[in-house]
Amino acid sequence: MAILKIAKMGHPILLQKAKKVDDPTDPKIKTLVNDMLETLDDLGNGVGLAAPQVHVSLQVVIFETVSDDGKEANLITLINPKIDVLTRETSIDWEGCLSVPGLRGQVTRPNKIKYSGLDLKGNKIETIAEGFNARVVQHECDHLFGILYPHRMKDLSSLQFVSEAKHWVNRNE
Ligand code: NI
């Protein structure tokens, strides 16, 4: 296991389309995922990580989803993911990214999606996600297509430093 360095906005790997994983059961993929899990845990302030963020251009993401009652968190590993949007309804909410440290911005995304892909054993995963969970999965999978959340922002005026914004919460919300 190893703690990996995070690529920050400006590194070209974050703008590339990541390659599909040929064999999810390859021990190298397991090592990559374990290192990504350790890295995310070490940083302590993220809910997901995509392989390009650790300088590996492969379609691998890890993310945390929460149960409907908000009490349980699950850490999901998803390989070669695909997202189907299930509603025209959208919501707008704050997002941050470990590759864009210190900032946050408001992003509009579909409310309900189905994500599918493979786990580390090569088994198929297929899950419907709504709200916060849907947002997290979309954000992480965007990384596999060279998209960072600021690219999705319709109004850049909400892009802000968290350290600054916390002094002005009432004016921002
Ligand atoms: Ni991100």
Side-chain angles (χ1 to χ4, degrees):
M1 299 262 275
I3 292 167
L4 306 171
K5 192 180 172 199
I6 300 286
K8 296 199 192 89
M9 186 164 65
H11 193 298
I13 201 165
L14 295 173
L15 300 177
Q16 284 171 20
K17 188 173 184 290
K19 267 195 252 152
K20 278 205 166 184
V21 173
D22 291 331
D23 178 8
T25 65
D26 184 332
K28 283 183 194 153
I29 300 299
K30 180 150 196 187
T31 301
L32 170 66
V33 168
N34 282 339
D35 288 349
M36 286 168 67
L37 290 166
E38 194 179 5
T39 302
L40 188 64
D41 187 53
D42 178 67
L43 290 163
N45 61 344
V47 288
L49 195 60
Q53 291 183 276
V54 293
H55 307 85
V56 178
S57 197
L58 286 174
Q59 293 189 17
V60 177
V61 292
I62 59 171
F63 54 85
E64 202 174 275
T65 59
V66 287
S67 59
D68 289 343
D69 60 11
K71 285 181 184 161
E72 262 178 72
N74 272 316
L75 208 45
I76 314 279
T77 299
L78 191 61
I79 296 166
N80 300 341
K82 179 172 172 278
I83 288 181
D84 295 304
V85 174
L86 299 183
T87 177
R88 286 189 184 173
E89 248 177 74
T90 59
S91 62
I92 185 161
D93 209 344
W94 293 103
E95 292 189 20
C97 180
L98 295 168
S99 294
V100 192
L103 291 169
R104 66 175 189 170
Q106 291 190 325
V107 186
T108 302
R109 294 194 189 267
N111 263 335
K112 191 173 179 183
I113 60 158
K114 181 177 83 179
Y115 63 85
S116 51
L118 301 170
D119 67 14
L120 282 168
K121 289 179 179 159
N123 297 320
K124 190 160 185 187
I125 293 174
E126 200 172 82
T127 307
I128 289 172
E130 290 184 70
F132 175 78
N133 290 343
R135 179 172 296 278
V136 171
V137 180
Q138 290 175 83
H139 175 117
E140 295 314 324
C141 291
D142 267 356
H143 279 296
L144 306 179
F145 294 90
I147 300 166
L148 299 170
Y149 80 81
H151 307 168
R152 294 266 189 211
M153 289 177 68
K154 288 183 184 153
D155 177 2
L156 282 170
S157 69
S158 75
L159 190 64
Q160 55 187 231
F161 287 98
V162 176
S163 58
E164 192 68 55
K166 70 182 181 195
H167 301 298
W168 302 93
V169 169
N170 293 334
R171 295 190 194 190
N172 281 325
E173 301 299 334

